[in-house]
Amino acid sequence: MKLKRRRKLVTYLNILDQPVRFNPFVFSLTFLLWAFLGLLGGVIAGTYWIGLEFLTHKLAFFSGWQVIPTMAVCGLMAGLIIHFIGPQMKEA
């Protein structure tokens, strides 16, 4: 190994051996963008959860045998939506 490369390697190893210096008052733009993205994702997930809970409690009046036809109709509607609105596959 050449002397210049060896000195560079020793310098890098010395830097890695020292404790990490972190200033909590200096944040980069990338850090702030990731923090904003995390907050936005949390708000979206919380809103989705609240919406699911609301719909679950509002649709809870189905009981017993009424659940089976309700699920069948919902499955049929989902299948029709996917069939007519979903992406069309081209046959080769």
Side-chain angles (χ1 to χ4, degrees), residues 17-30:
D17 283 339
Q18 295 177 5
V20 177
R21 288 182 233 137
F22 176 70
N23 187 351
F25 300 107
V26 178
F27 296 113
S28 66
L29 180 62
T30 306

Side-chain angles (χ1 to χ4, degrees), residues 17-68:
D17 283 339
Q18 295 177 5
V20 177
R21 288 182 233 137
F22 176 70
N23 187 351
F25 300 107
V26 178
F27 296 113
S28 66
L29 180 62
T30 306
F31 174 80
L32 293 175
L33 289 174
W34 281 112
F36 177 72
L37 181 66
L39 287 171
L40 183 65
V43 168
I44 291 171
T47 305
Y48 179 72
W49 182 267
I50 290 170
L52 280 179
E53 286 290 320
F54 177 75
L55 288 175
T56 301
H57 290 297
K58 288 296 178 187
L59 295 176
F61 56 86
F62 292 111
S63 62
W65 65 272
Q66 295 173 338
V67 174
I68 295 172

Side-chain angles (χ1 to χ4, degrees), residues 72-87:
V73 169
C74 290
L76 178 66
M77 288 191 311
L80 290 173
I81 289 171
I82 291 171
H83 178 73
F84 289 114
I85 297 178

Side-chain angles (χ1 to χ4, degrees), residues 10-22:
V10 169
T11 304
Y12 289 144
L13 290 175
N14 285 339
I15 290 171
L16 291 175
D17 283 339
Q18 295 177 5
V20 177
R21 288 182 233 137
F22 176 70

Side-chain angles (χ1 to χ4, degrees), residues 1-14:
M1 199 182 298
K2 294 186 180 179
L3 186 61
K4 194 172 190 179
R5 290 180 76 192
R6 181 175 285 181
R7 283 184 183 167
K8 207 180 243 189
L9 179 63
V10 169
T11 304
Y12 289 144
L13 290 175
N14 285 339

